[in-house]
Amino acid sequence: MIDPFHDQTGRASLDGAQGLAVARLSIGLVQGLLLYALYRSGSAHDALTWPATHPPLFGALILAAAFTPVMLLAGVGRLSIRGLAAWGLIAAAMLMLLGWHDAAQQVRESFYPPYLRFPVIAFAAAALFIAHHLIVPAVGARRWIADFDDYFDTAWKAGVQLALSLGFTGAFWLLLFLGAALFRVIGLDFLSDLIGEEWFSIPVTCLVFATAVQLTDVRAGLIRGVRTVALMLLSWLLLVITVLVAGFLLALPFTGLDGLWKTGSATALVLSAAAALIILINTAYQDGREDNLPPVVLRVAVRVAAVLLTPLILIALWGLSLRIGQHGLTPDRIIAAACALVGVVYAAGYGWAALSPLWRKTAWMKPLERTNVAAAVLTVAVILALFSPLLDPARLSVGDQVARLKRGAVSAAEFDYVFLRFDAGKSGRAALADLARSSDAEIARRATTAQTTSSRYDVEQTTTPPRTPTIEAWASGQALPPAFTMPVKASDPRYACGRTDGCVAVMRDLNGDGREEILMATRFNIALFAADAAGGWVHQGDYQVSRCPGPRNNDFRELLKSPDVAAVASPWPDMKLGDGMAD
């Protein structure tokens, strides 16, 4: 049987530094020309040319042209020409599918070239990196699953190469800008004009990046040396994160989880901590060979960190389930659930690796290797499912939100029509059209209003009912005027008080007119309110903090409680400019 990934000798068909250099520079140049052509197609919003006039095709081509050549640069010399071409076509098709779907499900009036959202770009790059470094070692070993040390060597070497190549490209452009500045000093602008031309900058950037990949690949021993130093330094950070996470988990029984839930990003925080543990555990474990074992203190830290993954993932799942139960599915929560699913695999595998020596004799953390491979395969599969029609987060979220509305879990007045109108793409618009034909008059009225409104702000104003804010008066025992805590519209800063976070308000006579104004602080800002002639309270503006508070006082609500809060005269007066004022 002919193996498409190798020639008949079993070796890659491109041998020698010269052949590799020509191949990589050619790939870089072709990528640069493709990206420039796509840039020209979509650079002018009012005069788009094909393929930018076809958003799904343009998004597919951008994603494939941006990432497939990078994979080819890494695969040159490691796969045969036929094998590299076959894998390149597969990877390009995968990327084009993701790009096509992402652009196709968005609404045309709300987006512009390159028609791609950041999550798709980031996750597509991650999936390609993982898939490439699953395939190359397996092809080299001529087995479905290669030895773990081959995966480790290939992936971490490529990661170091990527970082160095990006750094080299950045340094190249810094030098070009420096040279342009020097020439401008003597009145010569040709270099500044040249680097400002996209026909020059885009192809040159790709060519320089390809050059950097070739230079780092020629001296493989040096790359491995840099990798060894980087892994050694990172591995000692495992001690830091392990102590911090252990302290966090030990403190939870005494502090409770309320503070974590109030952040509004508990799941993301906990999953980020879990991801940091996973990465640093691997920097300490490396390839798992006995002659490469870390010091005893790091081996202990690896076992402890592996066990700590389980409570972190459980907290993330708990927080996610609470949010979904309260507010239903959103695209962000679906992506978080997918990340948590991968985290469950890591937590189970690493926990087993850390604890299995208690009842059987095994090499140090050996099951970690199978876990890494299984989690990598699962990660690629999950990304492909999430950003394709199979498990499209927008479609799933729309279905869940509409179902909650129809079964009464959320009222017509509180339903998020803004999400359907502006954030859920074509699935959301279709669902909004269905709701506009609803037999429920209130749902139909609000959905119709949302359909015919082009501004997110206007939709919020017309479909969101006023709500009563929850504001803490300071100092304790003082009372705020009843008119200040009456129901307000979504445009008022008080609307979010008690809904997403707490607010604190103090009363002060700030301008010396004998009447008190109200300062209201959220976690991140301080708003000023003054009474009008009718007795209502009008938002006058927000105070800009000229000096950032220290790390122990980074909550403006706590700052507002200080007895030192007082009005300070501006050192400079306002100016009258014609009929206007400048302050």
Side-chain angles (χ1 to χ4, degrees):
M1 183 178 67
I2 298 176
D3 183 353
F5 290 93
H6 290 84
D7 62 15
Q8 293 181 356
T9 66
R11 296 178 292 115
S13 299
L14 283 172
D15 287 324
Q18 185 175 358
L20 294 175
V22 170
R24 287 198 172 105
L25 293 179
S26 299
I27 292 171
L29 182 59
V30 171
Q31 180 189 26
L33 295 175
L34 285 174
L35 289 177
Y36 172 66
L38 291 171
Y39 170 82
R40 282 293 302 273
S41 172
S43 59
H45 294 167
D46 56 348
L48 299 178
T49 60
W50 189 89
T53 53
H54 192 289
L57 176 61
F58 191 82
L61 292 175
I62 280 287
L63 204 58
F67 294 135
T68 305
V70 178
M71 179 275 296
L72 294 176
L73 291 174
V76 167
R78 294 174 177 83
L79 299 174
S80 70
I81 295 177
R82 279 195 302 174
L84 189 62
W87 169 221
L89 289 174
I90 294 171
M94 176 187 73
L95 292 168
M96 291 183 71
L97 170 65
L98 300 184
W100 184 288
H101 174 70
D102 186 54
Q105 65 90 30
Q106 297 182 58
V107 179
R108 178 68 180 92
E109 67 187 44
S110 63
F111 69 127
Y112 301 97
Y115 306 119
L116 297 173
R117 297 168 301 161
F118 174 76
V120 175
I121 297 172
F123 280 98
L128 183 62
F129 183 89
I130 296 169
H132 180 75
H133 295 99
L134 286 172
I135 289 173
V136 171
V139 169
R142 293 180 174 271
R143 301 200 309 267
W144 285 102
I145 302 295
D147 294 331
F148 181 76
D149 57 346
D150 290 334
Y151 289 123
F152 166 81
D153 183 69
T154 303
W156 281 95
K157 178 187 173 185
V160 172
Q161 276 188 282
L162 179 61
L164 292 176
S165 298
L166 290 173
F168 180 87
T169 305
F172 171 83
W173 276 104
L174 285 176
L175 292 178
L176 275 188
F177 283 119
L178 176 61
L182 289 174
F183 279 110
R184 278 200 304 272
V185 169
I186 59 175
L188 298 177
D189 296 331
F190 74 95
L191 187 54
S192 297
D193 295 339
L194 182 63
I195 63 180
E197 296 289 341
E198 288 79 11
W199 63 262
F200 173 81
S201 60
I202 294 175
V204 165
T205 299
C206 296
L207 198 57
V208 170
F209 180 81
T211 302
V213 172
Q214 172 63 18
L215 293 175
T216 55
D217 196 57
V218 169
R219 305 299 297 272
L222 292 179
I223 295 300
R224 288 191 171 90
V226 173
R227 181 189 66 188
T228 300
V229 173
L231 290 174
M232 183 270 293
L233 292 174
L234 289 172
S235 66
W236 286 100
L237 292 178
L238 178 64
L239 293 174
V240 178
I241 190 65
T242 301
V243 170
L244 293 175
V245 171
F248 165 75
L249 293 174
L250 289 174
L252 283 182
F254 305 98
T255 63
L257 291 169
D258 289 344
L260 186 62
W261 302 150
K262 286 180 181 179
T263 64
S265 56
T267 300
L269 286 172
V270 175
L271 287 177
S272 297
L277 281 178
I278 292 167
I279 292 172
L280 294 178
I281 286 171
N282 279 279
T283 63
Y285 184 80
Q286 299 190 23
D287 57 10
R289 293 184 302 180
E290 291 187 6
D291 60 347
N292 204 24
L293 291 179
V296 173
V297 65
L298 282 182
R299 295 205 295 272
V300 173
V302 166
R303 289 194 187 276
V304 174
V307 173
L308 293 178
L309 277 176
T310 296
L312 283 180
I313 298 300
L314 290 177
I315 291 172
L317 290 172
W318 185 10
L320 191 59
S321 65
L322 288 176
R323 296 295 290 178
I324 293 174
Q326 293 169 345
H327 306 292
L329 292 176
T330 63
D332 288 344
R333 288 174 197 143
I334 291 175
I335 293 174
C339 294
L341 173 63
V342 176
V344 168
V345 174
Y346 276 113
Y350 282 28
W352 174 265
L355 299 177
S356 59
L358 295 178
W359 56 83
R360 67 168 187 161
K361 186 176 181 180
T362 183
W364 177 68
M365 295 296 292
K366 191 67 175 177
L368 174 149
E369 299 178 0
R370 294 192 297 273
T371 301
N372 280 348
V373 176
V377 174
L378 177 63
T379 300
V380 174
V382 166
I383 291 174
L384 292 179
L386 275 180
F387 298 101
S388 68
L390 187 61
L391 293 177
D392 177 39
R395 175 174 54 82
L396 296 178
S397 299
V398 168
D400 180 70
Q401 294 293 343
V402 172
R404 284 168 50 83
L405 175 64
K406 290 182 177 179
R407 69 171 180 265
V410 59
S411 68
E414 295 176 339
F415 184 73
D416 191 356
Y417 301 93
V418 173
F419 170 69
L420 297 186
R421 179 70 173 83
F422 295 102
D423 301 325
K426 292 181 179 178
S427 299
R429 295 291 181 92
L432 198 60
D434 289 339
L435 293 179
R437 298 189 294 269
S438 172
S439 57
D440 186 309
E442 180 68 8
I443 293 176
R445 181 183 67 80
R446 292 179 180 273
T448 301
T449 302
Q451 271 188 305
T452 57
T453 305
S454 59
S455 166
R456 179 187 296 267
Y457 172 81
D458 290 340
V459 173
E460 289 176 345
Q461 295 306 299
T462 55
T463 64
T464 305
R467 68 180 305 273
T468 302
T470 302
I471 304 172
E472 175 190 357
W474 187 262
S476 298
Q478 291 191 356
L480 295 171
F484 186 72
T485 55
M486 292 180 65
V488 293
K489 295 182 178 180
S491 58
D492 194 292
R494 291 169 287 179
Y495 186 85
C497 294
R499 180 172 181 259
T500 59
D501 210 348
C503 298
V504 173
V506 299
M507 300 188 69
R508 295 281 193 278
D509 181 6
L510 297 176
N511 55 6
D513 63 353
R515 294 182 298 177
E516 290 187 315
E517 288 76 42
I518 295 179
L519 293 171
M520 187 193 78
T522 66
R523 184 187 301 271
F524 305 107
N525 76 307
I526 298 176
L528 171 65
F529 292 84
D532 59 14
W537 290 87
V538 181
H539 180 219
Q540 305 296 316
D542 296 324
Y543 279 100
Q544 302 297 319
V545 179
S546 59
R547 182 174 55 194
C548 294
R552 298 181 62 184
N553 297 306
N554 57 0
D555 190 329
F556 291 130
R557 296 170 299 187
E558 296 302 318
L559 294 175
L560 195 63
K561 294 178 181 180
S562 169
D564 300 329
V565 172
V568 177
S570 173
W572 302 103
D574 296 341
M575 281 199 312
K576 185 176 185 298
L577 300 174
D579 295 330
M581 293 289 294
D583 55 18

